[in-house]
Amino acid sequence: MINGFQNGSLSSRLGIPMIYGIDAVHGHNNVYNATIFPHNVGLGATRDPNLMKRIGSATALEVRATGIPYVFAPCIAVCRDPRWGRCYESYSEDHKIVEDMTEIILGLQGDLPANSRKGVPYVGGKKKVAACAKHFVGDGGTTKGINENNTVTDKHGLLSIHMPAYSDSIIKGVSTIMVSYSSWNGDKMHANRELITGFLKNTLKFKGFVISDWQGIDRITSPPHANYSYSIQAAIQAGIDMVMVPFNYTEFIDDLTYLVKKNVITIDRIDDAVGRILFVKFSMGLFENPLADFSLVNELGSQEHRDLAKEAVRKSLVLLKNGKNGSNPLLPLPKKASKILVAGTHADNLGYQCGGWTIAWQGFTGNNYTRGTTVLSAIRSVVDRSTEVVFQENPDSNFVKSNNFAYAIVAVGEPPYAETAGDSMDLTMMDPGPTVISNVCEAVKCVVVIVSGRPIVIEPYLSSIDALVAAWLPGTEGQGVTDVLYGDYQFSGKLPRTWFKNVDQLPMNVGDSHYDPLFPFGFGLKTGSLPGIVGRSTSAGVVGRPYIVFIIVLVTLNLLSHR
């Protein structure tokens, strides 16, 4: 398909290759069999910029494997309110973590050559892709987290929280920047000349091109498309160089041509836009290599990339609770047990595991639309051959009580969603999640795995849960979850977001005067930490290990350090 489009471009009068972009926001997420990495919120929990870079490289290869040279990623929003439907596309509420994670750009585009000029787009050959930092700027700061809405903050707030990751992206040679649907203090970003031309192009010296969002210029007016000629004028004069027009392109071309002929939009502004677009096309080698490289086709969904995604899942998991009384941990789970229960809406649903922006815009449900490993199938493959695994999505309490399970794993959370469809004022888990938790966890030792794009209401159920894990939206590699549940790897993830007690506290971010979280920003237990060690040998079904020597050494070191 891409080659068909490209050959059409190359046969035109000037033979300039077109640039085709795609939303590869957590792997090459629109394509069957691609590796789906955890969404950004999970990657923020890893605190691992090097991992981000490797994910960028893998994603670039899978995108190039289908002939595409440009991705609309990464999203470097700083989500300040989890009620926002795009919060999972944000690495963290803390701009410093978001800045660290811009390392993905060097993976997507390639390392900058020594002595390269700052702010100049760079794409290192035909195994790399042009990246796009988005959505400029303040998209994660809207009032009540309402998508595409208004971010109310002074210039200091905008520049100190929402802007830093753009500076980092530009220094790293990002090729393009996408403008946000949202407004800043009532002014639509798609028409904001002060920030697009004034700050981005003139102050930050960005040399790539600025692209609109999908039908973004239509939404300058309310209702959208009410005065299209005005919207075109406002957007182009603000400094947008490339416009995403999915449907009414003839109207766009006619109106823009008229505005230029009447000198409403100057030819200098058009030359600036065209020059920037051509510059990116040249810098990415599109003129030399406009067509797909078929030798890369086996990179799509390769085992190496799936192993990398599994590593990302392991590092993204955050252990929030381990043991009802803090001294009798349930995790890690024993692989050998007579009979175990796996329950919950999210235990055997690849679509739920991947979340939105997977195969379809709003994601999917079930296991048939791409290839991967669910949590249930991962459990079945990792436990001892003698262990009987019973799966019931929504078991009643009598069933749980009468079966003598050694322990239960309950996977619950949110359904898939994207953009405005994900805006939520109550942040509750999908039914019958709460019922499953009470039916299972009040009858047998249980670990609850939350599969969600953000913190959700969990406080009312916490007392009945033995162990609690935030798994975010882990993607296709469910085995990364069992790797950590069963102790083959340690928990290492830290909360990239504050976990609230109730939604009435929102917005609540680290540093706020009213900060009173259920679990604070940066929280994350480790399975091997001292409080868990003493009781581990007595927890059901877990073989005791020689930890006494380790404890003595720790106590001795502690005493010595206080002399």
Side-chain angles (χ1 to χ4, degrees):
M1 181 186 81
I2 307 298
N3 280 356
F5 293 157
Q6 194 62 283
N7 282 321
S9 282
L10 296 173
S11 64
S12 65
R13 182 175 64 88
L14 293 172
I16 295 170
M18 59 128 207
I19 184 169
Y20 187 103
I22 197 160
D23 283 301
V25 295
H26 61 144
H28 197 9
N29 50 262
N30 288 296
V31 175
Y32 179 84
N33 196 38
T35 309
I36 305 297
F37 293 93
H39 267 299
N40 288 359
V41 65
L43 298 177
T46 71
R47 305 289 204 277
D48 190 342
N50 173 263
L51 175 69
M52 296 305 305
K53 188 175 177 181
R54 289 182 287 140
I55 288 172
S57 294
T59 301
L61 281 170
E62 297 209 9
V63 170
R64 281 288 193 170
T66 60
I68 298 171
Y70 177 28
V71 298
F72 302 124
C75 176
I76 54 172
V78 182
C79 173
R80 304 290 286 173
D81 193 322
R83 292 174 290 188
W84 186 35
R86 304 192 81 152
C87 202
Y88 63 78
E89 295 185 58
S90 166
Y91 296 109
S92 178
E93 72 189 45
D94 179 2
H95 69 85
K96 293 188 196 72
I97 290 172
V98 180
E99 288 170 67
D100 288 343
M101 297 295 140
T102 60
E103 197 74 7
I104 192 172
I105 291 165
L106 297 178
L108 291 164
Q109 297 194 154
D111 283 312
L112 292 167
N115 307 318
S116 67
R117 278 167 53 222
K118 282 194 170 71
V120 176
Y122 175 77
V123 180
K126 57 184 182 177
K127 291 184 178 179
K128 297 295 181 182
V129 292
C132 177
K134 66 185 190 182
H135 309 86
F136 187 84
V137 60
D139 49 343
T142 59
T143 304
K144 294 186 179 176
I146 297 167
N147 191 42
E148 302 183 17
N149 212 264
N150 190 23
T151 297
V152 180
T153 184
D154 59 15
K155 194 154 192 177
H156 173 75
L158 190 78
L159 296 185
S160 62
I161 292 173
H162 300 283
M163 195 67 81
Y166 285 95
S167 307
D168 279 36
S169 300
I170 290 165
I171 289 166
K172 285 171 180 162
V174 75
S175 294
T176 75
I177 288 173
M178 186 184 290
V179 181
S180 178
Y181 288 127
S182 58
S183 303
W184 175 43
N185 296 335
D187 294 330
K188 291 275 188 183
M189 276 308 311
H190 273 75
N192 196 315
R193 191 169 195 279
E194 178 197 351
L195 286 175
I196 298 172
T197 297
F199 197 80
L200 189 59
K201 290 182 173 179
N202 296 340
T203 304
L204 295 182
K205 305 284 189 242
F206 175 58
K207 298 287 189 286
F209 69 77
V210 176
I211 186 168
S212 83
D213 207 332
W214 166 283
Q215 285 188 314
I217 71 167
D218 301 52
R219 302 185 204 188
I220 289 171
T221 58
S222 187
H225 206 81
N227 184 346
Y228 197 50
S229 183
Y230 164 75
S231 294
I232 293 171
Q233 179 186 334
I236 304 300
Q237 287 179 335
I240 291 173
D241 303 306
M242 183 181 281
V243 182
M244 213 183 288
V245 183
F247 307 117
N248 56 318
Y249 60 92
T250 50
E251 183 188 5
F252 173 81
I253 292 167
D254 290 347
D255 283 5
L256 178 58
T257 305
Y258 177 81
L259 289 166
V260 174
K261 279 182 175 167
K262 293 291 179 187
N263 209 32
V264 177
I265 295 173
T266 66
I267 200 71
D268 285 353
R269 172 75 271 271
I270 300 298
D271 287 346
D272 173 53
V274 172
R276 287 168 177 273
I277 294 165
L278 286 173
F279 183 64
V280 168
K281 287 180 178 181
F282 280 120
S283 70
M284 61 196 290
L286 206 55
F287 282 81
E288 293 83 359
N289 296 297
L291 298 172
D293 181 350
F294 285 92
S295 72
L296 296 173
V297 75
N298 291 329
E299 297 288 351
L300 191 79
S302 72
Q303 192 55 50
E304 188 183 346
H305 295 166
R306 291 182 182 276
D307 289 344
L308 175 62
K310 202 161 52 167
E311 177 191 343
V313 175
R314 290 195 296 262
K315 290 179 173 178
S316 71
L317 299 186
V318 182
L319 180 58
L320 298 173
K321 183 180 180 181
N322 192 15
K324 274 189 177 149
N325 56 10
S327 66
N328 199 15
L330 179 61
L331 299 179
L333 297 167
K335 292 178 183 175
K336 191 165 187 174
S338 55
K339 184 161 58 168
I340 65 171
L341 173 65
V342 181
T345 44
H346 289 60
D348 191 33
N349 196 312
L350 197 57
Y352 286 4
Q353 229 170 263
C354 291
W357 296 111
T358 312
I359 302 300
W361 174 42
Q362 294 291 332
F364 66 92
T365 180
N367 297 328
N368 297 331
Y369 291 93
T370 194
R371 196 165 66 84
T373 306
T374 67
V375 172
L376 174 65
S377 56
I379 292 165
R380 285 189 166 135
S381 70
V382 78
V383 295
D384 191 85
R385 225 178 273 172
S386 65
T387 302
E388 184 188 348
V389 180
V390 177
F391 172 60
Q392 275 222 4
E393 193 170 299
N394 185 15
D396 64 42
S397 55
N398 289 333
F399 174 81
V400 183
K401 285 171 185 164
S402 63
N403 259 286
N404 198 27
F405 293 112
Y407 60 84
I409 298 170
V410 177
V412 290
E414 295 187 299
Y417 54 80
E419 298 192 50
T420 306
D423 285 2
S424 169
M425 291 300 126
D426 56 19
L427 294 177
T428 50
M429 71 178 72
M430 68 182 284
D431 285 330
T435 311
V436 178
I437 291 174
S438 62
N439 287 351
V440 175
C441 296
E442 282 165 22
V444 63
K445 283 188 175 175
C446 76
V447 52
V448 172
V449 178
I450 301 178
V451 178
S452 69
R454 53 199 164 186
I456 55 174
V457 174
I458 193 69
E459 200 260 348
Y461 327 114
L462 198 56
S463 59
S464 66
I465 295 169
D466 293 276
L468 179 63
V469 176
W472 314 111
L473 297 168
T476 50
E477 306 314 302
Q479 203 185 323
V481 177
T482 52
D483 278 351
V484 186
L485 289 182
Y486 284 94
D488 295 326
Y489 292 84
Q490 297 285 329
F491 280 91
S492 60
K494 296 175 182 169
L495 283 183
R497 314 203 50 75
T498 297
W499 206 294
F500 56 85
K501 291 175 181 172
N502 59 71
V503 289
D504 296 336
Q505 296 174 295
L506 300 175
M508 178 175 66
N509 294 286
V510 65
D512 289 352
S513 57
H514 65 290
Y515 199 66
D516 181 28
L518 182 63
F519 300 108
F521 169 83
F523 182 81
L525 300 171
K526 293 198 174 6
T527 23
S529 58
L530 192 60
I533 288 168
V534 184
R536 189 185 296 174
S537 59
T538 60
S539 77
V542 181
V543 180
R545 294 176 193 161
Y547 284 115
I548 302 300
V549 176
F550 179 52
I551 293 166
I552 292 167
V553 171
L554 278 180
V555 172
T556 309
L557 288 171
N558 204 29
L559 288 170
L560 288 170
S561 69
H562 285 88
R563 287 174 68 177

